[in-house]
Amino acid sequence: MKSKLLLFGLILFIAFTACNKDKVSTYNASFHATPYQIKIPKYFPTLLNIPADNPMTVEGIRLGRYLFYDGRLSGRTEPDSLMSCCTCHIQSNAFECGINNSHFIGGATFGLTGIPTPHHMLPMINLVFNSNGYLWSGFINKNNTVLGNASYGVPAQQPYNYTNIESVVWMAITAPHEINGTIEKTVNMIKSIPMYPTMFKAAFGTEEINIDRISKAIAQFVRTLISSNSKFDKYLRGETNLTTDEFAGYVLFVSENGGDCFHCHGGSGNPLFTTNLFYNNGMDSIFNDPRDHSQVTHNIKDKGSYKAPTLRNIMYTAPYMHDGRFKTIDEVINFYSEAVIFSPNISVLMHHAINGGIQLTTIQKQQLKTFLTTLSDTNFISDTTFSKPSNLK
Ligand code: HEC
Ligand code: HEC
C-alpha cells in the first residue's frame, strides 16, 4: 500500500514538474498570457489535440475569435471581397453554412472568385478531441510531412504545413476556392487595423503580426467550440429522460440488428458521436474523387472513403455527405435503410450491405430520426462566447 502511494506521489510529481517545464518554455519571464484550461465535459475523452507550440490562452482565444469573424482576413476591404472563416462556418448552423444560406444556395460553398469548394462543408464541433485528421479526406493530420504548395505560391517551410487546425488558416487564405488571397496581403491588412497590434501583444508577447500567429490564434478559438449540452447529454448525466420514441431510436442506433450506426458514429461509450475515422459507407460503386481518404493512404481500397462526421447537431448541418447529396435526415435514413451499394471497397462495418441496408420499418425510421434530434445543442449554437464580437463590424 505504502509503495503504491509512493509511486502515485512520484507520478504526480513528474506530471507536476513536466507541467512547470512546459510553462517556462512557453511563457518567458516578461510575458504572461493567461493559460486557458479546456473543461472536459463529463464522459468525454481526455486526449486533446493541442500542439505543444500553441498552448491555449485567454488572450489568444480572444484574438482568434476576432480574426475568425473579421472579413478583412481576406486582405481586402471592399464589401464584396470580405471573407473570413465565419463567411462559411456559421454558428447557428453548428459552424456549417446551412442549406438555407442566401449566398451559398443549397449549402454549396464557393470562394471569392466563385470557384466551388471541392466538397460540401464539415461542422466545427469538438474538433479538439480529434487526433485522427481533419477534412473529409483526413489530409490534415499530425503525420503529414508535405510542406507548402507550389500552386498556391506558398513557401515550403513552417508554418505552411498540413498538420493541424493551424494549417487550415493559411490554406483558407490562399485557396482559390476560398479566400483566394495571399499571406502577405492578409498580414499587411491585419497589421494596418489599429486594434490588432495590442491584441497580438497580449496573446503572444510582442506586437509582431505574422501568419504563424494569425493561424495559432484562430486555431485556439476553434478548439474552444465544444458541444456537450444536448438533450442526450442531459440524459446521460441523469438530468432528464428520453421519450419512449427517443429511447427506441437510441437502441436502434447502437444495435447491430437495428440501425447499426454506432461502429462508425459512436454513441455507445463514445459521446463524440464519431470515431473520427474514415470509411466507405456504400453510397457509390465508382470512385473518382481525388480528395477521398485514398489521397492520404495512397491505398486504392480507400477510394470512396471519407470521415464519418459527428452526428451531434446534425439537424443544423444539412445538406449531408461530402457532396451534399442528401437534403434531409429522412433521405439519409432511407439510404442506410435500403439504398446501400455493395462494392469491393465498402467498409466491413456496413454489415447489412448485402441486403441493401438495415431495412427499417417506417416507425423505426421515425424513431431513429427522433433520437438524432436529441443531439441538437441549442446552447452551442447560441453561446455568445462563440459568436461575433459585438464591437466588430
Ligand atoms: C468558402 C467557404 C469556407 C471558408 C471561408 C472557410 N472554410 Fe473551413 N471548410 C469549408 C469546407 C467546404 C470544408 C470541408 C472541406 C473538405 O474537407 O474537403 C471546411 C472544413 C474545415 C475544417 C475541417 C473540419 C473537420 O472536421 O475536419 C476546419 C478545421 C475548417 N474548415 C476551418 C476553417 C477556418 C479556421 C477558416 C478561416 C481561416 C475556414 N475554415 C474558412 C469551407 C470554408
Ligand atoms: C461503416 C461506417 C458507417 C456506418 C455503419 C454508418 N455511417 Fe453514417 N457516415 C459514414 C461516413 C463515412 C459518412 C460520410 C460519407 C460521405 O460523405 O461520403 C457518413 C455520413 C453520415 C451522415 C451525414 C453527416 C454529415 O455531416 O453530412 C449521417 C447523418 C449519417 N452518416 C448517419 C448515420 C446513421 C443514422 C447510421 C446508422 C443507420 C450510420 N450513419 C451508419 C460512416 C458510417
Side-chain angles (χ1 to χ4, degrees):
M1 186 62 201
K2 210 171 179 185
S3 67
K4 263 196 192 148
L5 259 179
L6 233 124
L7 187 67
F8 183 59
L10 189 69
I11 291 170
L12 259 185
F13 175 72
I14 293 170
F16 189 69
T17 43
C19 267
N20 265 351
K21 210 166 138 203
D22 228 55
K23 266 192 195 145
V24 171
S25 63
T26 316
Y27 308 108
N28 60 42
S30 60
F31 166 56
H32 297 282
T34 320
Y36 177 91
Q37 198 70 47
I38 288 200
K39 290 176 208 75
I40 296 175
K42 202 164 179 184
Y43 308 122
F44 271 49
T46 50
L47 181 70
L48 302 176
N49 181 358
I50 301 175
D53 67 353
N54 192 17
M56 313 253 303
T57 66
V58 172
E59 293 82 357
I61 295 163
R62 178 163 187 271
L63 170 62
R65 180 179 163 210
Y66 273 79
L67 295 168
F68 185 98
Y69 282 105
D70 196 330
R72 294 169 292 185
L73 192 76
S74 68
R76 286 155 275 194
T77 50
E78 312 83 68
D80 60 350
S81 53
L82 298 173
M83 185 178 256
S84 189
C85 318
C86 68
T87 313
C88 302
H89 294 277
I90 301 172
Q91 184 182 11
S92 55
N93 300 308
F95 295 96
E96 283 201 23
C97 74
I99 197 163
N100 294 324
N101 190 299
S102 58
H103 188 56
F104 302 122
I105 310 286
T109 45
F110 48 84
L112 278 176
T113 46
I115 300 176
T117 54
H119 290 149
H120 278 60
M121 292 198 70
L122 280 165
M124 289 189 184
I125 304 168
N126 301 333
L127 297 189
V128 71
F129 300 100
N130 173 18
S131 296
N132 296 332
Y134 298 104
L135 301 185
W136 284 103
S137 61
F139 182 65
I140 297 185
N141 67 78
K142 284 192 265 194
N143 301 322
N144 195 330
T145 52
V146 179
L147 287 178
N149 184 325
S151 64
Y152 297 163
V154 164
Q157 62 184 46
Q158 304 288 345
Y160 308 111
N161 54 30
Y162 299 90
T163 54
N164 215 319
I165 299 172
E166 284 79 355
S167 323
V168 184
V169 176
W170 75 259
M171 291 170 71
I173 290 169
T174 53
H177 54 256
E178 292 191 352
I179 293 173
N180 191 42
T182 68
I183 284 159
E184 200 191 356
K185 265 203 323 204
T186 293
V187 169
N188 287 337
M189 175 60 66
I190 300 301
K191 275 183 184 165
S192 75
I193 302 169
M195 68 177 170
Y196 281 120
T198 4
M199 291 176 77
F200 276 81
K201 184 165 186 201
F204 298 110
T206 64
E207 292 192 350
E208 188 185 344
I209 296 179
N210 57 35
I211 189 65
D212 183 45
R213 288 179 168 190
I214 291 174
S215 306
K216 282 179 170 164
I218 294 180
Q220 286 187 40
F221 171 67
V222 170
R223 293 193 175 99
T224 65
L225 305 176
I226 293 177
S227 174
S228 64
N229 214 15
S230 64
K231 181 171 186 187
F232 188 72
D233 292 298
K234 291 176 189 161
Y235 163 71
L236 283 184
R237 298 194 298 254
E239 295 161 17
T240 188
N241 273 319
L242 296 183
T243 67
T244 314
D245 275 351
E246 286 165 352
F247 188 73
Y250 175 52
V251 172
L252 284 169
F253 191 89
V254 295
S255 317
E256 281 196 352
N257 289 323
D260 200 23
C261 314
F262 66 111
H263 290 296
C264 311
H265 291 289
S268 153
N270 170 353
L272 299 177
F273 282 90
T274 173
T275 54
N276 283 313
L277 293 174
F278 304 84
Y279 313 92
N280 181 317
N281 66 343
M283 295 200 301
D284 294 299
S285 52
I286 297 169
F287 312 107
N288 47 24
D289 177 3
R291 297 185 192 228
D292 57 17
H293 188 49
S294 71
Q295 180 194 16
V296 179
T297 61
H298 306 292
N299 183 344
I300 54 162
K301 287 286 286 173
D302 292 322
K303 290 252 104 234
S305 279
Y306 295 90
K307 172 188 303 201
T310 180
L311 300 187
R312 281 184 173 274
N313 299 304
I314 196 71
M315 293 303 164
Y316 305 126
T317 62
Y320 303 108
M321 306 300 173
H322 69 279
D323 53 6
R325 70 177 70 184
F326 300 131
K327 293 183 178 50
T328 62
I329 277 295
D330 302 281
E331 287 179 34
V332 174
I333 292 176
N334 286 339
F335 154 72
Y336 281 110
S337 181
E338 53 257 2
V340 173
I341 298 171
F342 190 86
S343 78
N345 282 14
I346 198 169
S347 163
V348 291
L349 296 172
M350 293 297 291
H351 296 116
H352 304 269
I354 209 84
N355 302 321
I358 48 181
Q359 305 292 338
L360 299 179
T361 65
T362 311
I363 291 171
Q364 288 174 319
K365 286 180 183 176
Q366 269 312 315
Q367 290 170 329
L368 191 54
K369 180 178 169 182
T370 308
F371 163 66
L372 292 174
T373 62
T374 71
L375 302 177
S376 296
D377 179 352
T378 50
N379 287 37
F380 180 69
I381 61 159
S382 59
D383 188 331
T384 51
T385 57
F386 303 157
S387 62
K388 184 171 183 165
S390 52
N391 61 342
L392 193 66
K393 266 200 285 170

